[in-house]
Amino acid sequence: MTTRLGLGLPQMRQYDLGKDVPDVARAAEGMGYESLWVFERALFPEPATQGLYGIEGLPWPDEYRDVAEPLVTLALAAAATERAELGSSVLVAPLHVPFQLARTLGSLDAASGGRVVAGFGTGWSHDEYAAASVRPFAERGAALDELIGVCRAVWGPDPVVYEGEVTKIASAVVGPKPARPIPILLAAGNGKARRRLVDHADGWLPAAIGAEAVAEQWRVLRELAAERGRTEPIRTVLRANARYSAAPRDASGRSPFHGNVDQIVEDLAAHAEIGLDEILLDLQSTPRDAEELKDVAAEVYEKARAGGI
């Protein structure tokens, strides 16, 4: 059985949002990619008050200066495609009003015929929280818990009733409903986040930090699921942030998914052996334009499938 392959949609500033997103989405679906994905970066602080991922001294990449809004991007892709799933890896949950986000995702799923995958995380940028969050950074876990609860309620049968810290729905009809239950996947990197995932989510969104490290994280998560009595399978979608270069990069010390097409495919093969359901390959950061992005995506897909991935 081959690993499902997904592609990151073009959201960065070298792309034309209205033209390139539908174009790349249609092309990727035609190539055989089974899903299309977005990520969220709300702003680029200048000067930076915090390092990338909250790591002191780690600079933000220049491509984060201009990242298109993820739900607008998904809507453009939905209108241009017929089969590919439409996922987020990830939406920074506390930057969204829970009720409004639940309604938007429900409407997008209804419009696309049941293709939305809701991937959530808590984020790490204090500047984004200061600009957009409905709750303080210290309450990010509680904010994610409430968002999940609101989504389950709003997507469920009417009348919708929910009582939370931010969201209070006494009794209401809320539509349109999703075409089917929208799966909720979470990025979970610590013990509390893993417990939330096991108890309340449908799946996991790991990052490609190396095959051995991801395999170990997957082992820990499965053991936790067994300990907590979970019987439902955990869907897994690995995010691989690739940096493509035409020339091969030195293999010694090379970061995963950094290099030419053959090296990227080698890394795909290594991570596919972990046994995860799907790998999301985000190639958009280094191509000059949408034409180069499509060319690289097509070559990667063809070589991956030819190699049995």
Side-chain angles (χ1 to χ4, degrees), residues 27 41 49 72 91 94-95 102 106 110 114 154-155 158 166 189 191 207 225 257 267 293:
R41 196 80 284 132
T49 59
V72 171
L91 294 178
L95 305 187
V154 167
W155 299 338
D158 294 321
V166 173
F257 296 96
D267 291 331
L293 173 59

Side-chain angles (χ1 to χ4, degrees), residues 35 54 61 81 108 128 164 235 260 270 293:
S35 56
T81 55
L108 183 60
E128 289 182 339
R235 179 175 173 178
N260 64 12
L293 173 59

Side-chain angles (χ1 to χ4, degrees), residues 99 102-103 153-161 169 171-178:
F99 180 75
R103 289 203 64 234
V154 167
W155 299 338
D158 294 321
V160 174
V161 177
I169 310 170
S171 180
V173 175
V174 184
K177 298 296 184 185

